[in-house]
Amino acid sequence: RLAWVGSDNAICHIGTSLHKVPLARLQEIYLLLGYNRWELLEVIRILGPFPNVRNTLRGDIKLEKKRTNDNREGVRLTIAYNSMVDGTGKEILAGKEDNVKYVKLDIWFASEKAIVCTVPAEDDEGDEYEVNANPFANGNGASILLFVAEENLDEQLEKLRAA
């Protein structure tokens, strides 16, 4: 479960950004990890007499070890989103390589209970910098995401009426 995030831009970096649609609010984000697989579940509340919507993004992941200038170690995670299951249950495949969405994250801590990651910084031309010397030093934490383990995902989805 995404327990804390520094900014809406960090959420949009990993998700669909559909919570920005008028009258929509992001309720929760859940992350399921498998062997070289990433599955992100977004639960979005539509204001009014409408049911909650669950979008599921699926993709393959690649890991690359990184070292910063001050010898801080981290991992660059690249997610290749190639499938989405929308709120109606319809699966939309990327099809062509041009339609695959690539997302990068820097992982700084990972255990069975928590994952701390940051969105890589970009320069003015949109090119990503190498792993920052101190990714937590930008002052406001806007690029940080904290995921914590959820003991019973099915129960939580039932509570959100998004099972």
Side-chain angles (χ1 to χ4, degrees):
R1 176 174 69 86
L2 182 63
W4 189 85
V5 64
S7 69
D8 189 54
N9 287 340
I11 292 172
C12 293
H13 182 75
I14 62 167
T16 63
S17 301
L18 290 175
H19 66 280
K20 289 186 164 190
V21 173
L23 303 178
R25 281 215 173 103
L26 183 65
Q27 290 291 108
E28 287 287 350
I29 290 182
Y30 295 100
L31 175 62
L32 305 172
L33 295 173
Y35 184 71
N36 289 337
R37 288 296 290 165
W38 170 285
E39 195 168 317
L40 188 81
L41 285 71
E42 292 181 326
V43 179
I44 299 173
R45 168 86 175 113
I46 308 297
L47 298 178
F50 307 106
N52 289 349
V53 175
R54 182 177 87 190
N55 296 314
T56 304
L57 292 168
R58 293 185 181 132
D60 300 321
I61 57 175
K62 291 183 182 174
L63 302 172
E64 177 186 354
K65 193 170 186 177
K66 293 287 188 177
R67 184 178 294 277
T68 64
N69 298 339
D70 61 354
N71 285 332
R72 185 181 307 227
E73 288 187 4
V75 172
R76 172 67 50 92
L77 172 76
T78 303
I79 308 153
Y81 284 129
N82 49 30
S83 161
M84 178 183 155
V85 179
D86 66 13
T88 64
K90 181 180 175 187
E91 184 172 17
I92 303 164
L93 299 174
K96 300 184 296 183
E97 183 67 25
D98 293 345
N99 296 335
V100 174
K101 179 182 176 183
Y102 292 94
V103 174
K104 293 183 180 184
L105 290 174
D106 292 331
I107 308 295
W108 297 102
F109 175 81
S111 74
E112 291 181 5
K113 297 290 182 186
I115 298 173
V116 177
C117 54
T118 58
V119 175
E122 295 180 355
D123 62 16
D124 293 337
E125 286 82 40
D127 298 325
E128 291 179 356
Y129 289 131
E130 285 300 309
V131 177
N132 299 335
N134 187 350
F136 307 106
N138 68 359
N140 61 6
S143 67
I144 301 172
L145 299 110
L146 169 65
F147 293 93
V148 296
E150 183 63 56
E151 295 301 322
N152 192 341
L153 178 60
D154 292 332
E155 183 178 304
Q156 293 301 318
L157 290 173
E158 281 290 330
K159 285 181 184 177
L160 292 168
R161 297 184 319 253

